[in-house]
Amino acid sequence: MIKLHDVSVSFGERTVLNSLSLDLTERRIAIIGANGSGKSTFARLLNGLALPTSGEVLVHGLNTRKKGRDVRRKVGFVFQNPDNQIVMPVVEEDLAFGMKNLGFSKDDIATKTDEVLARYNMSDLREHPAHLLSGGQKQLLAISGVLVMAPDIVVMDEPTTLLDLRNKRRIARAVAALDQMVITVTHDLDLITDYDRVIAIDEGRIFADGTPPDVIPAYEKLMS
Amino acid sequence: MLDLYTPGSSFLHRLPPAPKMLAMMLGATLLFINQSLPVTIAATLVIFALYPVAQLTLKQAFAQIRPLLIIFVLFFVVQWYFSGLELAAYVVLRLAALILLASLVTLTTRSSDMIDTMTHGLSYLKPIGVNPEKVSLAISLALRFIPVLAQITREVREAQKTRGLERSVIAVAMPMAIRAIKMADDISDAIDSRGYRS
Amino acid sequence: MDTTAPRGLATKDIVYIALFAALTAALGLMPPIHFAGAALPPISAQSLGVMLAGAVLGSKRGGLALLLFIALVAVGLPLLSGGRGGFGVLIGTSGGFLLAWPLCAYIIGYLMEKDTAASPIKTGLYVAFGGIVVMYAAGIPWMAFIGKLGLPKSLTIMVAYVPGDLVKVGLATVIARGLRRAYPNL
């Protein structure tokens, strides 16, 4: 679980997030908000990519400021643009990248690579150059690259924004099937209708927090 | 991976990259030291003969020299005019032999094998602060970036075409560079999120 | 700018080094620019990558970016304009110019670091020094040696390229200053 304790983030004069305190424990949590509402910064706080200007973020009790590496091992992060997340030129090399960093054995890496590729019907793409994949395949590769590291929590920053409807659904199914706790930052309200909890952020503050039927209509009203 | 390698099973293909590169460097040095035209002619013929041995065609051999043909002609004419026919032939043949020899290594060795050899060789430089793992990450990233940047260049040029700016280098290069740096910042975060220890 | 960090290269530095190596390769894909009709040889955008790497990344990272690029060419990737690559090009007539690229980027970066508040004109002079003076100082003797031409004749051949290289200096200066403004903490 993740605990935010009186967290504020500001860049120079501009306050992006304003004294948030939250306990995130549910299996499926969505963070929604308009462009510039601070939700991307919020996502980056959760694995220590961004650090709070004041207050603290604790992941399983580990402070992201002091234990950044341990936190990142527990919290996988899927970026909006898979092109900006795929590190290696070939599919299997990219899957192996994170596992190598964690010191997995060669056999372990091979087994996990097989598993994850089979899971997403991409076994025949194993030696494929990453840049020749379709947008949906790239995002699945990005998610797979995180899953093979076996994180406890997966944070996704607008994972479907750049995808067409069919691929959006493919990603939604893939996310729904995950065993992990998932925190999704998104604009895509269809993606989160069956989530356990939705937190709407507006101008750096929490505007609504509850179940999708409570929060989504209030959010839609705010946006109109 | 984009590569100039031509698949094959010849002796030269099977030779490991390190001795092959060393032999090439030795051969190139000897070509430089040698000042005799007959020896240069003989060496050129021998190198030419190695192409069929490496299951490469003579057409491929000529293709290695073709981009430099204009320079060859230029050098030949200048040398002939100032220093005589013999020196002109020596200079141009030596150049052709050097390029054919070096290309022989390139054509019979996979880039990935050469990169492995190179990063392995770098581990001997650890005492002076070279970190082979960082080098190999940089190599992989560069190979990953090249097609992405080519794609970004195409997109930016198309976008600028609608504004009639596609021939302006600045109008293309500036947005391209800004997008590229944004991508680099994200990738850097992604690498750190995936447990890389720099 | 943090290029002299004692603990070596951070992840971000490695990524930028790879990015500018790749940028130099991608610039080789742009069609050559005929800026003076048939009067002068067309210019390839590729050495713009050298100037940008030095002017944007600074000495150490800029030099390493081009060293990486040259290494990738050496192992046989066709990354030079016109799809050329391999050892052959590097020991050919223009080998001196190519092998000097890391040094050129390093020197441009070094000059920029010594004068962080340089005016556009001064920036242009620094880029021209590394990107033309240093590059020619390495490339022309090499060409003279390998073609047994002697320096004066080699110099004459290169004069035709100077106007094109001056155009690139101007472009690199404008782009580098723009990038520095957009990303002050690069």
Side-chain angles (χ1 to χ4, degrees), chain B residues 177 181, chain C residues 1 3 16 20 23 49-59 61-62 105 108-109 112-113 127 172 175-180 183 186:
Chain B
I181 288 171
Chain C
M1 197 171 47
T3 53
Y16 285 148
F20 276 76
L23 186 75
V50 181
M51 300 175 186
L52 283 175
V56 176
L57 293 185
S59 55
R61 295 182 299 175
I108 294 171
M112 301 279 289
E113 281 157 7
V127 173
I175 295 169
R177 289 182 66 86
L179 284 181
R180 282 268 169 124
Y183 295 94
L186 215 66

PDB file of all heavy atoms in Angstrom, chain B residues 177 181, chain C residues 1 3 16 20 23 49-59 61-62 105 108-109 112-113 127 172 175-180 183 186:
ATOM      1  N   ALA B 177      14.403  18.209 -32.657  1.00  0.00           N
ATOM      2  CA  ALA B 177      15.330  18.127 -31.525  1.00  0.00           C
ATOM      3  C   ALA B 177      14.572  18.251 -30.203  1.00  0.00           C
ATOM      4  O   ALA B 177      14.873  17.535 -29.239  1.00  0.00           O
ATOM      5  CB  ALA B 177      16.384  19.221 -31.639  1.00  0.00           C
ATOM      6  N   ILE B 181      14.541  15.398 -27.313  1.00  0.00           N
ATOM      7  CA  ILE B 181      15.015  15.579 -25.940  1.00  0.00           C
ATOM      8  C   ILE B 181      13.932  15.193 -24.944  1.00  0.00           C
ATOM      9  O   ILE B 181      14.208  14.577 -23.910  1.00  0.00           O
ATOM     10  CB  ILE B 181      15.508  17.022 -25.734  1.00  0.00           C
ATOM     11  CG1 ILE B 181      16.835  17.177 -26.484  1.00  0.00           C
ATOM     12  CG2 ILE B 181      15.699  17.342 -24.267  1.00  0.00           C
ATOM     13  CD1 ILE B 181      17.349  18.573 -26.559  1.00  0.00           C
TER      14      ILE B 181
ATOM     15  N   MET C   1      25.541  23.290 -15.822  1.00  0.00           N
ATOM     16  CA  MET C   1      25.587  21.968 -16.472  1.00  0.00           C
ATOM     17  C   MET C   1      26.537  21.048 -15.719  1.00  0.00           C
ATOM     18  O   MET C   1      27.604  21.465 -15.286  1.00  0.00           O
ATOM     19  CB  MET C   1      26.038  22.140 -17.909  1.00  0.00           C
ATOM     20  CG  MET C   1      25.723  20.951 -18.735  1.00  0.00           C
ATOM     21  SD  MET C   1      26.026  21.319 -20.467  1.00  0.00           S
ATOM     22  CE  MET C   1      27.614  22.066 -20.334  1.00  0.00           C
ATOM     23  N   THR C   3      28.615  18.317 -16.275  1.00  0.00           N
ATOM     24  CA  THR C   3      29.342  17.348 -17.103  1.00  0.00           C
ATOM     25  C   THR C   3      30.596  16.869 -16.415  1.00  0.00           C
ATOM     26  O   THR C   3      31.246  15.958 -16.884  1.00  0.00           O
ATOM     27  CB  THR C   3      29.758  17.971 -18.436  1.00  0.00           C
ATOM     28  OG1 THR C   3      30.453  19.165 -18.146  1.00  0.00           O
ATOM     29  CG2 THR C   3      28.564  18.245 -19.311  1.00  0.00           C
ATOM     30  N   TYR C  16      21.452  10.939 -23.228  1.00  0.00           N
ATOM     31  CA  TYR C  16      21.747  12.069 -24.132  1.00  0.00           C
ATOM     32  C   TYR C  16      22.877  11.727 -25.101  1.00  0.00           C
ATOM     33  O   TYR C  16      22.845  12.118 -26.264  1.00  0.00           O
ATOM     34  CB  TYR C  16      22.120  13.320 -23.328  1.00  0.00           C
ATOM     35  CG  TYR C  16      20.948  14.002 -22.680  1.00  0.00           C
ATOM     36  CD1 TYR C  16      21.085  14.672 -21.470  1.00  0.00           C
ATOM     37  CD2 TYR C  16      19.693  13.996 -23.276  1.00  0.00           C
ATOM     38  CE1 TYR C  16      20.008  15.309 -20.862  1.00  0.00           C
ATOM     39  CE2 TYR C  16      18.608  14.616 -22.673  1.00  0.00           C
ATOM     40  CZ  TYR C  16      18.770  15.275 -21.467  1.00  0.00           C
ATOM     41  OH  TYR C  16      17.711  15.889 -20.877  1.00  0.00           O
ATOM     42  N   PHE C  20      22.318  11.880 -29.162  1.00  0.00           N
ATOM     43  CA  PHE C  20      23.013  12.710 -30.148  1.00  0.00           C
ATOM     44  C   PHE C  20      23.809  11.868 -31.135  1.00  0.00           C
ATOM     45  O   PHE C  20      24.015  12.293 -32.266  1.00  0.00           O
ATOM     46  CB  PHE C  20      23.848  13.796 -29.461  1.00  0.00           C
ATOM     47  CG  PHE C  20      23.015  14.999 -29.116  1.00  0.00           C
ATOM     48  CD1 PHE C  20      22.140  14.973 -28.043  1.00  0.00           C
ATOM     49  CD2 PHE C  20      23.041  16.141 -29.908  1.00  0.00           C
ATOM     50  CE1 PHE C  20      21.330  16.056 -27.746  1.00  0.00           C
ATOM     51  CE2 PHE C  20      22.237  17.236 -29.618  1.00  0.00           C
ATOM     52  CZ  PHE C  20      21.379  17.201 -28.530  1.00  0.00           C
ATOM     53  N   LEU C  23      21.023  11.070 -33.392  1.00  0.00           N
ATOM     54  CA  LEU C  23      20.636  12.268 -34.133  1.00  0.00           C
ATOM     55  C   LEU C  23      21.584  12.489 -35.313  1.00  0.00           C
ATOM     56  O   LEU C  23      21.158  12.803 -36.420  1.00  0.00           O
ATOM     57  CB  LEU C  23      20.675  13.480 -33.193  1.00  0.00           C
ATOM     58  CG  LEU C  23      20.155  14.796 -33.761  1.00  0.00           C
ATOM     59  CD1 LEU C  23      18.641  14.769 -33.821  1.00  0.00           C
ATOM     60  CD2 LEU C  23      20.606  15.971 -32.903  1.00  0.00           C
ATOM     61  N   GLY C  49      25.203  17.400 -36.740  1.00  0.00           N
ATOM     62  CA  GLY C  49      25.113  16.609 -35.514  1.00  0.00           C
ATOM     63  C   GLY C  49      26.331  16.807 -34.623  1.00  0.00           C
ATOM     64  O   GLY C  49      26.223  16.852 -33.402  1.00  0.00           O
ATOM     65  N   VAL C  50      27.498  16.913 -35.260  1.00  0.00           N
ATOM     66  CA  VAL C  50      28.743  17.122 -34.511  1.00  0.00           C
ATOM     67  C   VAL C  50      28.680  18.459 -33.778  1.00  0.00           C
ATOM     68  O   VAL C  50      28.970  18.549 -32.571  1.00  0.00           O
ATOM     69  CB  VAL C  50      29.949  17.130 -35.477  1.00  0.00           C
ATOM     70  CG1 VAL C  50      31.244  17.311 -34.708  1.00  0.00           C
ATOM     71  CG2 VAL C  50      29.968  15.865 -36.314  1.00  0.00           C
ATOM     72  N   MET C  51      28.284  19.500 -34.527  1.00  0.00           N
ATOM     73  CA  MET C  51      28.243  20.842 -33.945  1.00  0.00           C
ATOM     74  C   MET C  51      27.202  20.908 -32.834  1.00  0.00           C
ATOM     75  O   MET C  51      27.447  21.478 -31.772  1.00  0.00           O
ATOM     76  CB  MET C  51      27.917  21.863 -35.039  1.00  0.00           C
ATOM     77  CG  MET C  51      28.928  21.879 -36.171  1.00  0.00           C
ATOM     78  SD  MET C  51      28.394  23.005 -37.490  1.00  0.00           S
ATOM     79  CE  MET C  51      29.639  22.698 -38.737  1.00  0.00           C
ATOM     80  N   LEU C  52      26.017  20.298 -33.077  1.00  0.00           N
ATOM     81  CA  LEU C  52      24.954  20.343 -32.078  1.00  0.00           C
ATOM     82  C   LEU C  52      25.350  19.589 -30.815  1.00  0.00           C
ATOM     83  O   LEU C  52      25.120  20.052 -29.706  1.00  0.00           O
ATOM     84  CB  LEU C  52      23.664  19.754 -32.644  1.00  0.00           C
ATOM     85  CG  LEU C  52      22.883  20.652 -33.596  1.00  0.00           C
ATOM     86  CD1 LEU C  52      21.691  19.906 -34.173  1.00  0.00           C
ATOM     87  CD2 LEU C  52      22.410  21.905 -32.869  1.00  0.00           C
ATOM     88  N   ALA C  53      25.963  18.422 -30.987  1.00  0.00           N
ATOM     89  CA  ALA C  53      26.349  17.616 -29.826  1.00  0.00           C
ATOM     90  C   ALA C  53      27.276  18.427 -28.929  1.00  0.00           C
ATOM     91  O   ALA C  53      27.085  18.491 -27.710  1.00  0.00           O
ATOM     92  CB  ALA C  53      27.020  16.317 -30.270  1.00  0.00           C
ATOM     93  N   GLY C  54      28.272  19.088 -29.531  1.00  0.00           N
ATOM     94  CA  GLY C  54      29.199  19.886 -28.734  1.00  0.00           C
ATOM     95  C   GLY C  54      28.501  21.070 -28.091  1.00  0.00           C
ATOM     96  O   GLY C  54      28.645  21.315 -26.893  1.00  0.00           O
ATOM     97  N   ALA C  55      27.724  21.800 -28.893  1.00  0.00           N
ATOM     98  CA  ALA C  55      27.142  23.050 -28.414  1.00  0.00           C
ATOM     99  C   ALA C  55      26.029  22.806 -27.400  1.00  0.00           C
ATOM    100  O   ALA C  55      25.780  23.626 -26.537  1.00  0.00           O
ATOM    101  CB  ALA C  55      26.610  23.865 -29.590  1.00  0.00           C
ATOM    102  N   VAL C  56      25.330  21.680 -27.511  1.00  0.00           N
ATOM    103  CA  VAL C  56      24.204  21.421 -26.607  1.00  0.00           C
ATOM    104  C   VAL C  56      24.637  20.594 -25.391  1.00  0.00           C
ATOM    105  O   VAL C  56      24.278  20.893 -24.270  1.00  0.00           O
ATOM    106  CB  VAL C  56      23.048  20.714 -27.357  1.00  0.00           C
ATOM    107  CG1 VAL C  56      21.933  20.352 -26.393  1.00  0.00           C
ATOM    108  CG2 VAL C  56      22.512  21.590 -28.472  1.00  0.00           C
ATOM    109  N   LEU C  57      25.429  19.554 -25.622  1.00  0.00           N
ATOM    110  CA  LEU C  57      25.755  18.631 -24.526  1.00  0.00           C
ATOM    111  C   LEU C  57      27.020  19.017 -23.764  1.00  0.00           C
ATOM    112  O   LEU C  57      27.259  18.527 -22.673  1.00  0.00           O
ATOM    113  CB  LEU C  57      25.927  17.207 -25.051  1.00  0.00           C
ATOM    114  CG  LEU C  57      24.698  16.504 -25.607  1.00  0.00           C
ATOM    115  CD1 LEU C  57      25.047  15.070 -25.958  1.00  0.00           C
ATOM    116  CD2 LEU C  57      23.545  16.533 -24.621  1.00  0.00           C
ATOM    117  N   GLY C  58      27.860  19.846 -24.365  1.00  0.00           N
ATOM    118  CA  GLY C  58      29.120  20.180 -23.707  1.00  0.00           C
ATOM    119  C   GLY C  58      30.228  19.221 -24.108  1.00  0.00           C
ATOM    120  O   GLY C  58      30.012  18.284 -24.889  1.00  0.00           O
ATOM    121  N   SER C  59      31.420  19.461 -23.554  1.00  0.00           N
ATOM    122  CA  SER C  59      32.622  18.771 -24.024  1.00  0.00           C
ATOM    123  C   SER C  59      32.555  17.252 -23.856  1.00  0.00           C
ATOM    124  O   SER C  59      32.635  16.495 -24.822  1.00  0.00           O
ATOM    125  CB  SER C  59      33.841  19.313 -23.288  1.00  0.00           C
ATOM    126  OG  SER C  59      33.649  19.200 -21.892  1.00  0.00           O
ATOM    127  N   ARG C  61      30.161  14.986 -22.773  1.00  0.00           N
ATOM    128  CA  ARG C  61      29.065  14.207 -23.342  1.00  0.00           C
ATOM    129  C   ARG C  61      29.010  14.344 -24.859  1.00  0.00           C
ATOM    130  O   ARG C  61      28.717  13.384 -25.573  1.00  0.00           O
ATOM    131  CB  ARG C  61      27.738  14.639 -22.703  1.00  0.00           C
ATOM    132  CG  ARG C  61      27.672  14.316 -21.211  1.00  0.00           C
ATOM    133  CD  ARG C  61      26.343  14.714 -20.616  1.00  0.00           C
ATOM    134  NE  ARG C  61      26.104  16.145 -20.739  1.00  0.00           N
ATOM    135  CZ  ARG C  61      24.973  16.741 -20.394  1.00  0.00           C
ATOM    136  NH1 ARG C  61      23.965  16.019 -19.928  1.00  0.00           N
ATOM    137  NH2 ARG C  61      24.822  18.044 -20.533  1.00  0.00           N
ATOM    138  N   GLY C  62      29.303  15.556 -25.371  1.00  0.00           N
ATOM    139  CA  GLY C  62      29.294  15.755 -26.826  1.00  0.00           C
ATOM    140  C   GLY C  62      30.360  14.903 -27.503  1.00  0.00           C
ATOM    141  O   GLY C  62      30.107  14.246 -28.517  1.00  0.00           O
ATOM    142  N   ALA C 105      33.476  17.927 -31.538  1.00  0.00           N
ATOM    143  CA  ALA C 105      32.363  18.137 -30.614  1.00  0.00           C
ATOM    144  C   ALA C 105      32.906  18.498 -29.228  1.00  0.00           C
ATOM    145  O   ALA C 105      32.387  19.397 -28.559  1.00  0.00           O
ATOM    146  CB  ALA C 105      31.492  16.881 -30.534  1.00  0.00           C
ATOM    147  N   ILE C 108      34.140  22.195 -29.274  1.00  0.00           N
ATOM    148  CA  ILE C 108      33.010  23.139 -29.278  1.00  0.00           C
ATOM    149  C   ILE C 108      32.404  23.197 -27.872  1.00  0.00           C
ATOM    150  O   ILE C 108      32.171  24.271 -27.324  1.00  0.00           O
ATOM    151  CB  ILE C 108      31.942  22.720 -30.307  1.00  0.00           C
ATOM    152  CG1 ILE C 108      32.507  22.827 -31.726  1.00  0.00           C
ATOM    153  CG2 ILE C 108      30.686  23.588 -30.173  1.00  0.00           C
ATOM    154  CD1 ILE C 108      31.609  22.242 -32.805  1.00  0.00           C
ATOM    155  N   GLY C 109      32.181  22.029 -27.284  1.00  0.00           N
ATOM    156  CA  GLY C 109      31.596  21.981 -25.946  1.00  0.00           C
ATOM    157  C   GLY C 109      32.480  22.665 -24.921  1.00  0.00           C
ATOM    158  O   GLY C 109      32.004  23.411 -24.057  1.00  0.00           O
ATOM    159  N   MET C 112      32.217  26.406 -25.238  1.00  0.00           N
ATOM    160  CA  MET C 112      30.927  26.880 -24.736  1.00  0.00           C
ATOM    161  C   MET C 112      30.910  26.867 -23.201  1.00  0.00           C
ATOM    162  O   MET C 112      30.299  27.718 -22.571  1.00  0.00           O
ATOM    163  CB  MET C 112      29.786  26.003 -25.259  1.00  0.00           C
ATOM    164  CG  MET C 112      29.675  25.950 -26.766  1.00  0.00           C
ATOM    165  SD  MET C 112      28.819  27.348 -27.466  1.00  0.00           S
ATOM    166  CE  MET C 112      27.160  27.004 -26.931  1.00  0.00           C
ATOM    167  N   GLU C 113      31.547  25.869 -22.617  1.00  0.00           N
ATOM    168  CA  GLU C 113      31.562  25.780 -21.150  1.00  0.00           C
ATOM    169  C   GLU C 113      32.396  26.896 -20.533  1.00  0.00           C
ATOM    170  O   GLU C 113      32.119  27.361 -19.433  1.00  0.00           O
ATOM    171  CB  GLU C 113      32.127  24.424 -20.709  1.00  0.00           C
ATOM    172  CG  GLU C 113      31.109  23.306 -20.814  1.00  0.00           C
ATOM    173  CD  GLU C 113      31.748  21.925 -20.921  1.00  0.00           C
ATOM    174  OE1 GLU C 113      32.992  21.842 -20.784  1.00  0.00           O
ATOM    175  OE2 GLU C 113      31.024  20.959 -21.145  1.00  0.00           O
ATOM    176  N   VAL C 127      31.515  27.392 -32.588  1.00  0.00           N
ATOM    177  CA  VAL C 127      31.074  26.260 -33.417  1.00  0.00           C
ATOM    178  C   VAL C 127      31.933  26.174 -34.676  1.00  0.00           C
ATOM    179  O   VAL C 127      32.348  25.085 -35.091  1.00  0.00           O
ATOM    180  CB  VAL C 127      29.572  26.406 -33.775  1.00  0.00           C
ATOM    181  CG1 VAL C 127      29.146  25.329 -34.764  1.00  0.00           C
ATOM    182  CG2 VAL C 127      28.706  26.340 -32.521  1.00  0.00           C
ATOM    183  N   ALA C 172      23.541  25.416 -36.753  1.00  0.00           N
ATOM    184  CA  ALA C 172      23.839  24.804 -35.451  1.00  0.00           C
ATOM    185  C   ALA C 172      23.745  25.851 -34.356  1.00  0.00           C
ATOM    186  O   ALA C 172      23.250  25.565 -33.259  1.00  0.00           O
ATOM    187  CB  ALA C 172      25.225  24.163 -35.476  1.00  0.00           C
ATOM    188  N   ILE C 175      20.009  26.605 -33.679  1.00  0.00           N
ATOM    189  CA  ILE C 175      19.318  25.479 -33.034  1.00  0.00           C
ATOM    190  C   ILE C 175      19.827  25.255 -31.611  1.00  0.00           C
ATOM    191  O   ILE C 175      19.051  25.065 -30.679  1.00  0.00           O
ATOM    192  CB  ILE C 175      19.480  24.192 -33.880  1.00  0.00           C
ATOM    193  CG1 ILE C 175      18.779  24.367 -35.227  1.00  0.00           C
ATOM    194  CG2 ILE C 175      18.888  22.986 -33.148  1.00  0.00           C
ATOM    195  CD1 ILE C 175      19.099  23.293 -36.230  1.00  0.00           C
ATOM    196  N   ALA C 176      21.145  25.321 -31.449  1.00  0.00           N
ATOM    197  CA  ALA C 176      21.710  25.082 -30.110  1.00  0.00           C
ATOM    198  C   ALA C 176      21.214  26.131 -29.124  1.00  0.00           C
ATOM    199  O   ALA C 176      20.851  25.804 -27.992  1.00  0.00           O
ATOM    200  CB  ALA C 176      23.234  25.084 -30.169  1.00  0.00           C
ATOM    201  N   ARG C 177      21.166  27.390 -29.557  1.00  0.00           N
ATOM    202  CA  ARG C 177      20.688  28.439 -28.649  1.00  0.00           C
ATOM    203  C   ARG C 177      19.212  28.241 -28.325  1.00  0.00           C
ATOM    204  O   ARG C 177      18.783  28.453 -27.186  1.00  0.00           O
ATOM    205  CB  ARG C 177      20.943  29.823 -29.243  1.00  0.00           C
ATOM    206  CG  ARG C 177      22.420  30.193 -29.263  1.00  0.00           C
ATOM    207  CD  ARG C 177      22.642  31.595 -29.806  1.00  0.00           C
ATOM    208  NE  ARG C 177      22.090  32.624 -28.940  1.00  0.00           N
ATOM    209  CZ  ARG C 177      22.733  33.158 -27.909  1.00  0.00           C
ATOM    210  NH1 ARG C 177      23.959  32.747 -27.634  1.00  0.00           N
ATOM    211  NH2 ARG C 177      22.174  34.082 -27.166  1.00  0.00           N
ATOM    212  N   GLY C 178      18.425  27.833 -29.335  1.00  0.00           N
ATOM    213  CA  GLY C 178      17.009  27.558 -29.103  1.00  0.00           C
ATOM    214  C   GLY C 178      16.816  26.433 -28.091  1.00  0.00           C
ATOM    215  O   GLY C 178      16.009  26.533 -27.164  1.00  0.00           O
ATOM    216  N   LEU C 179      17.586  25.353 -28.257  1.00  0.00           N
ATOM    217  CA  LEU C 179      17.465  24.210 -27.345  1.00  0.00           C
ATOM    218  C   LEU C 179      17.888  24.582 -25.932  1.00  0.00           C
ATOM    219  O   LEU C 179      17.278  24.165 -24.955  1.00  0.00           O
ATOM    220  CB  LEU C 179      18.322  23.044 -27.832  1.00  0.00           C
ATOM    221  CG  LEU C 179      17.767  22.260 -29.010  1.00  0.00           C
ATOM    222  CD1 LEU C 179      18.706  21.120 -29.362  1.00  0.00           C
ATOM    223  CD2 LEU C 179      16.399  21.698 -28.661  1.00  0.00           C
ATOM    224  N   ARG C 180      18.943  25.366 -25.843  1.00  0.00           N
ATOM    225  CA  ARG C 180      19.411  25.797 -24.523  1.00  0.00           C
ATOM    226  C   ARG C 180      18.336  26.609 -23.808  1.00  0.00           C
ATOM    227  O   ARG C 180      18.189  26.526 -22.596  1.00  0.00           O
ATOM    228  CB  ARG C 180      20.682  26.636 -24.675  1.00  0.00           C
ATOM    229  CG  ARG C 180      21.905  25.782 -24.930  1.00  0.00           C
ATOM    230  CD  ARG C 180      22.510  25.477 -23.592  1.00  0.00           C
ATOM    231  NE  ARG C 180      23.528  24.457 -23.711  1.00  0.00           N
ATOM    232  CZ  ARG C 180      24.774  24.634 -23.304  1.00  0.00           C
ATOM    233  NH1 ARG C 180      25.142  25.772 -22.797  1.00  0.00           N
ATOM    234  NH2 ARG C 180      25.633  23.659 -23.402  1.00  0.00           N
ATOM    235  N   TYR C 183      15.489  24.099 -22.838  1.00  0.00           N
ATOM    236  CA  TYR C 183      15.908  23.171 -21.774  1.00  0.00           C
ATOM    237  C   TYR C 183      17.140  23.716 -21.068  1.00  0.00           C
ATOM    238  O   TYR C 183      18.257  23.270 -21.324  1.00  0.00           O
ATOM    239  CB  TYR C 183      16.246  21.793 -22.342  1.00  0.00           C
ATOM    240  CG  TYR C 183      15.082  21.069 -22.942  1.00  0.00           C
ATOM    241  CD1 TYR C 183      14.813  21.158 -24.296  1.00  0.00           C
ATOM    242  CD2 TYR C 183      14.258  20.273 -22.155  1.00  0.00           C
ATOM    243  CE1 TYR C 183      13.747  20.490 -24.854  1.00  0.00           C
ATOM    244  CE2 TYR C 183      13.192  19.595 -22.704  1.00  0.00           C
ATOM    245  CZ  TYR C 183      12.936  19.710 -24.048  1.00  0.00           C
ATOM    246  OH  TYR C 183      11.891  19.042 -24.604  1.00  0.00           O
ATOM    247  N   LEU C 186      19.679  21.145 -19.384  1.00  0.00           N
ATOM    248  CA  LEU C 186      20.180  20.020 -20.158  1.00  0.00           C
ATOM    249  C   LEU C 186      21.563  19.620 -19.670  1.00  0.00           C
ATOM    250  O   LEU C 186      22.036  18.581 -19.819  1.00  0.00           O
ATOM    251  CB  LEU C 186      20.234  20.432 -21.626  1.00  0.00           C
ATOM    252  CG  LEU C 186      19.928  19.342 -22.622  1.00  0.00           C
ATOM    253  CD1 LEU C 186      18.483  18.900 -22.487  1.00  0.00           C
ATOM    254  CD2 LEU C 186      20.126  19.879 -24.025  1.00  0.00           C
TER     255      LEU C 186
END
